[in-house]
Amino acid sequence: MASFYSKDGYPMRLLLLLALVALALPAYADGDAGADGGFIVVQSTTSTRNSGLYDAILPQFTETTGIQIRVVAVGTGQALRNARNCDGDVLLVHATAAEEEFVEDGYGLSRTDLMYNDFVLVGPSDDPARVADTTSINAALSAIADSRAPFASRGDDSGTHKKERSLWAGAEVDPSGDSGTWYRETGSGMGATLNIASGMNAYTLTDRATWIAFANKGDLRILAEGDEDLFNQYGIIAINPVRCPAVKATPAQTFIDWLLSDGGQSAIAAYRRDGQQLFFPNAKPE
Amino acid sequence: MNGFGDAFAAAFALIVGFDADLVEIVGLSLRVTLSATLFACLLGFPLGAVLAVGRFRGRGALTVFVNALMGLPPVVVGLIVYMMLSRTGPFGTLGLLYTPTAMIIAQTILVTPIVAALARQTVADLDAEYYETLHSMGARAGARMRTLLWDGRFALMTAALAGMGRALAEVGAVMIVGGNIDHVTRVMTTAIALETSRGELALALGLGIVLMALSLALNALVMGARLSGARLAHA
Amino acid sequence: MLRLVTSSAAPDSTIRLERISLRRGGRDVLDGLDLSIPRHGITAIMGPNGAGKSLALRVMANLVRPDTGAVIHGLTDPQDIALVFQKPVLLRRTVRANLRHALAIYGVPRRERRERLGELLDFGRLAAIADSPARALSGGEQQRVAMVRALAARPRLLLLDEPTASLDPQATAAIEALIRGAAHSGATVVLVTHDRGQATRLADHIRFLHKGMLAEAAPADQFFLAPKSPEAQAYFDGKLLL
Ligand SMILES: Nc1ncnc2c1ncn2[C@@H]1O[C@H](COP(=O)(O)OP(=O)(O)O)[C@@H](O)[C@H]1O
Ligand SMILES: [Mg+2]
């Protein structure tokens, strides 16, 4: 078609050029470009990514092993579901009961404690429910429910949401009947929920790592912390290659072994934001 | 709050600093969006022409269906593509989940109905003008569609632009099928979502400004080509 | 001279419309039209606005199906029939690309197109404007392109619907030369025109239509000497008929 090259064909040539540029743009890691040790996919909770932990520790691992870690950070509930679909090699979440069930159902090889930190209850500094005067998380939540002060819940079946529901149960309050009034279920990630809480001066439960790294605190501050019920355990699981034949079992085990090793554990301990340690390694030495 | 000032400062710093991560993210955004738009045009232009010119049973229903698909929520498309590409899904063995290819597939599905619906309108309008001429020349349906598509090329660029706009701005589908993996599947929109969830609102807005600038530049480029080309062809 | 007709052995029969009826807008705009067109020479169809001339041409071109009646022209290949409209619709491309497109549609093999294209550009005196966007041309030039595009099919029946109605005398002369050339090469030409001078210059036969029916059929010289039908007489006396 010579008309293609004639004067009136010029814009078509430009479109074609755009198309060629689009296809010629470097194929970033479509296969296993980059590291020569291949890559594995980690289904992860968001707090470990949002807090910057992976950015801090993963380069050390990739440098020594050549294995690239691709982190898909979603809520714990979503991560567990994705892993049940075999869409990952390693699971790193924080909902011990659900993790044990995952292993019992045959999807994981075994579950190991990796590290912990804690949850904190944050809220507006004027503290309308007078949470700061309480001495336990049970009392704090009861105070919020009694005063009907706004509380933002994740509402997304994440690890934090599971924890929050168990804390309400411990306080013998069922807020689900008040959903839409003072109890607001955001159905979103921790960051989005913190943004909402910050926007409407609501209380919310968050893990400490996300809180410390969160940049839009507004008028929110920590009002309750330190209760042993607020303990937040992270676990790590290798996906079962019998259940999921595509799993890259060897590099996945290499990664898990490194995280549980002295090197990995001290890398976790060394990560700090604003001078504060965010995660406390607690892998049991074999 | 001077959030907008901070946002523009962040955008300025990102662009002037030629931030390496930003370059990578912008490059991947362009690659995914332009590829998806290209495939959507390759599918949508002929589909639009068939809907405009073809005479077959179910054409009206198909047209309504394609128009309705324009309203597909990206998250739904993302979920469907996720279910297809998941290791336990029908195409799981291809190992495409969490790759740019998966993102291109999802966005192609998202953009094709827009391109097809707009192409159908363009071709139908032109067909009203060309119908007698092409029929009297004895042109068959295939030749008529090709003629109409080529002569509608400048209007079709607008259809392509509309599709590209949706792809460039879309976050729900690429987040699910791409996974927003750093250095692998992170694009402008998922980076904005991530920075928002980190509470880094100024940085998120700054990235948004960069995305706007990118969209503006692409639109200006194509519209410029369209105008000068249309002037040349007196279309 | 350009060879316009593919088959020199054109059957010597006439082209006939038999009892053609066509309803449009709730009335019979063609009302039992009987029409015979001699195979040789140029036939001018005349008649007042709204008489059904354009529709009759479209029926002949198989663009419009009549409600009743039959068209008999013995032409089975759609390319044997070409139609040129009063307002030509050219493609949004250069003149050259328009003609190349037509040759492709007419099924001219790729390797022959270049040569045919050169012939057509010469024949229509279009070489100087070959690379201009067709739609930027003057009305006369556009009509010339449309004529050449129609002739590129080497049609055996050339149907022209007021092809010079909005053209100046010079452009009209150029189109008339093309019409004569086509007829000379053996094509049957049917020309709808309101221009008595043009009909006198070109036509061998006249068919006068009125209210969707044939009012008069006569050789051109006889017709212009003295039209027999009251409708044609009134028409040339400037009396409105519809
Ligand atoms: N689609 C249509 N709907 C209604 N009336 C029509 C339609 N097409 C043609 N006509 C009428 O048919 C008559 C003949 O039209 P036409 O053949 O164009 O006349 P002319 O002899 O001037 O070329 C006119 O009165 C015109 O208004
Ligand atoms: Mg007419």
Side-chain angles (χ1 to χ4, degrees):
Chain A
M1 276 214 301
S3 72
F4 200 84
Y5 302 100
S6 69
K7 265 185 277 175
D8 55 4
Y10 141 73
M12 278 294 129
R13 272 185 298 173
L14 196 128
L15 261 198
L16 206 81
L17 197 83
L18 271 184
L20 287 177
V21 168
L23 294 177
L25 280 167
Y28 292 113
D30 227 331
D32 33 4
D36 20 36
F39 67 89
I40 58 171
V41 170
V42 176
Q43 290 286 349
S44 162
T45 177
T46 48
S47 57
T48 40
R49 194 263 315 266
N50 281 15
S51 63
L53 175 69
Y54 293 131
D55 294 338
I57 68 168
L58 293 185
Q60 304 173 34
F61 172 74
T62 301
E63 204 167 294
T64 50
T65 61
I67 299 168
Q68 192 194 7
I69 307 296
R70 297 187 178 178
V71 179
V72 177
V74 286
T76 290
Q78 184 68 49
L80 283 159
R81 276 192 295 278
N82 289 349
R84 277 174 190 262
N85 289 334
C86 301
D87 295 320
D89 305 293
V90 171
L91 183 63
L92 197 170
V93 291
H94 62 139
T96 308
E99 293 163 43
E100 281 164 353
E101 190 186 322
F102 180 86
V103 173
E104 266 165 41
D105 290 350
Y107 290 97
L109 285 178
S110 67
R111 182 201 166 279
T112 316
D113 281 343
L114 175 66
M115 61 192 184
Y116 70 91
N117 60 6
D118 63 341
F119 292 103
V120 294
L121 183 70
V122 300
S125 56
D126 65 354
D127 192 12
R130 313 243 45 89
V131 164
D133 299 343
T134 63
T135 53
S136 72
I137 187 66
N138 283 354
L141 290 179
S142 298
I144 291 171
D146 288 345
S147 69
R148 302 178 67 80
F151 181 95
S153 165
R154 290 279 292 273
D156 65 348
D157 200 31
S158 59
T160 304
H161 186 220
K162 289 179 206 284
K163 173 59 115 181
E164 181 214 309
R165 277 181 310 195
S166 81
L167 292 174
W168 284 114
E172 293 178 353
V173 175
D174 179 10
S176 57
D178 289 307
S179 183
T181 59
W182 61 270
Y183 187 70
R184 314 272 171 93
E185 294 182 85
T186 66
S188 322
M190 193 70 253
T193 304
L194 278 170
N195 278 324
I196 290 167
S198 169
M200 62 185 196
N201 273 340
Y203 293 90
T204 193
L205 185 75
T206 171
D207 65 282
R208 191 183 293 272
T210 302
W211 171 253
I212 290 172
F214 188 69
N216 184 36
K217 294 188 176 76
D219 193 35
L220 299 182
R221 59 190 185 85
I222 294 177
L223 294 171
E225 59 184 322
D227 192 311
E228 64 181 31
D229 280 353
L230 291 173
F231 185 71
N232 182 25
Q233 177 66 49
Y234 291 83
I236 190 150
I237 301 174
I239 312 295
N240 187 351
V242 175
R243 205 48 175 265
C244 300
V247 153
K248 296 167 181 165
T250 309
Q253 199 55 52
T254 307
F255 179 57
I256 292 173
D257 289 346
W258 179 76
L259 280 178
L260 300 178
S261 73
D262 288 348
Q265 294 276 293
S266 52
I268 292 170
Y271 178 56
R272 277 159 198 278
R273 282 287 285 259
D274 302 336
Q276 300 178 69
Q277 182 174 344
L278 269 58
F279 298 95
F280 299 85
N282 66 342
K284 292 170 195 68
E286 301 273 316
Chain B
M1 134 171 172
N2 66 345
F4 285 104
D6 292 349
F8 276 101
F12 187 76
L14 283 169
I15 296 171
V16 171
F18 214 69
D19 183 90
D21 281 352
L22 180 73
V23 171
E24 185 181 313
I25 290 171
V26 167
L28 186 62
S29 279
L30 282 177
R31 174 172 166 234
V32 169
T33 296
L34 294 182
S35 304
T37 306
L38 177 73
F39 292 129
C41 289
L42 290 177
L43 295 169
F45 287 165
L47 176 60
V50 167
L51 290 177
V53 174
R55 295 284 172 269
F56 54 91
R57 270 173 61 105
R59 183 178 70 121
L62 191 59
T63 303
V64 170
F65 182 65
V66 168
N67 284 338
L69 286 185
M70 284 200 288
L72 261 187
V75 176
V76 172
V77 173
L79 273 176
I80 292 169
V81 174
Y82 168 77
M83 276 155 44
M84 293 289 146
L85 298 183
S86 169
R87 280 286 175 192
T88 49
F91 301 105
T93 50
L94 299 177
L96 290 177
L97 192 65
Y98 305 136
T99 65
T101 306
M103 300 159 85
I104 292 170
I105 292 170
Q107 290 207 330
T108 300
I109 293 173
L110 213 52
V111 171
T112 299
I114 297 178
V115 172
L118 294 176
R120 190 201 64 79
Q121 191 58 53
T122 296
V123 172
D125 290 348
L126 206 55
D127 190 40
E129 187 189 347
Y130 283 11
Y131 183 85
E132 288 205 321
T133 298
L134 292 178
H135 263 273
S136 73
M137 289 168 75
R140 290 174 193 282
R144 271 170 58 216
M145 285 181 214
R146 278 196 301 280
T147 304
L148 293 165
L149 282 175
W150 178 258
D151 275 41
R153 59 198 179 276
F154 301 109
L156 291 176
M157 277 193 208
T158 309
L161 269 188
M164 190 178 71
R166 184 169 203 210
L168 199 60
E170 182 278 324
V171 59
V174 290
M175 182 69 95
I176 294 173
V177 304
N180 190 22
I181 299 170
D182 204 6
H183 302 300
V184 181
T185 56
R186 184 160 300 161
V187 291
M188 293 296 289
T189 52
T190 60
I192 291 170
L194 173 60
E195 294 309 335
T196 304
S197 79
R198 279 177 167 157
E200 300 284 359
L201 302 191
L203 183 55
L205 207 51
L207 286 166
I209 292 168
V210 175
L211 183 63
M212 275 282 297
L214 197 66
S215 172
L216 217 69
L218 282 172
N219 272 275
L221 198 69
V222 176
M223 285 315 278
R226 183 195 160 151
L227 285 180
S228 59
R231 227 183 345 262
L232 277 174
H234 279 258
Chain C
M1 181 70 220
L2 189 72
R3 199 171 61 90
L4 287 166
V5 177
T6 37
S7 164
S8 53
D12 202 33
S13 58
T14 56
I15 293 160
R16 292 205 316 278
L17 302 193
E18 291 184 347
R19 307 213 57 76
I20 299 284
S21 289
L22 187 66
R23 280 187 84 76
R24 283 285 189 276
R27 60 199 176 91
D28 289 312
V29 291
L30 294 182
D31 193 4
L33 175 65
D34 276 309
L35 196 62
S36 73
I37 308 279
R39 184 67 74 177
H40 295 292
I42 300 175
T43 300
I45 296 184
M46 304 192 74
N49 286 324
K53 305 181 296 294
S54 295
L55 283 173
L57 273 199
R58 281 169 169 74
V59 168
M60 281 187 239
N62 300 324
L63 273 183
V64 173
R65 250 177 107 82
D67 298 327
T68 59
V71 186
I72 300 158
H73 46 46
L75 303 172
T76 47
D77 189 340
Q79 283 163 42
D80 285 338
I81 307 173
L83 181 55
V84 175
F85 304 92
Q86 179 184 338
K87 289 204 189 72
V89 177
L90 298 180
L91 305 185
R92 289 157 167 80
R93 318 171 182 202
T94 61
V95 171
R96 190 188 300 280
N98 264 275
L99 296 179
R100 195 187 298 108
H101 171 265
L103 291 173
I105 298 282
Y106 299 148
V108 174
R110 213 169 261 280
R111 60 198 138 71
E112 288 174 31
R113 283 184 210 160
R114 173 187 272 280
E115 195 192 329
R116 287 280 296 275
L117 191 62
E119 284 175 12
L120 290 170
L121 290 172
D122 285 347
F123 178 66
R125 300 175 190 283
L126 298 170
I129 52 171
D131 293 310
S132 304
R135 293 186 160 237
L137 300 176
S138 74
E141 289 167 330
Q142 290 200 36
Q143 193 58 287
R144 231 155 70 219
V145 176
M147 279 291 295
V148 170
R149 179 175 66 183
L151 295 176
R154 294 180 170 164
R156 288 159 66 171
L157 175 58
L158 178 63
L159 307 168
L160 306 167
D161 193 356
E162 303 188 43
T164 62
S166 48
L167 304 186
D168 66 22
Q170 200 185 341
T172 300
I175 298 294
E176 288 184 1
L178 292 174
I179 297 173
R180 276 200 197 88
H184 200 262
S185 311
T188 307
V189 178
V190 181
L191 167 72
V192 172
T193 181
H194 285 291
D195 181 345
R196 184 179 178 155
Q198 181 170 67
T200 312
R201 285 192 297 278
L202 295 176
D204 304 299
H205 322 279
I206 306 294
R207 299 291 179 267
F208 193 87
L209 263 55
H210 179 53
K211 292 189 174 170
M213 287 182 282
L214 181 71
E216 185 168 353
D221 39 9
Q222 252 178 46
F223 182 82
F224 287 119
L225 213 61
K228 290 205 179 66
S229 61
E231 292 89 351
Q233 286 164 9
Y235 175 74
F236 287 116
D237 289 348
K239 290 177 188 143
L240 275 183
L241 285 163
L242 276 181

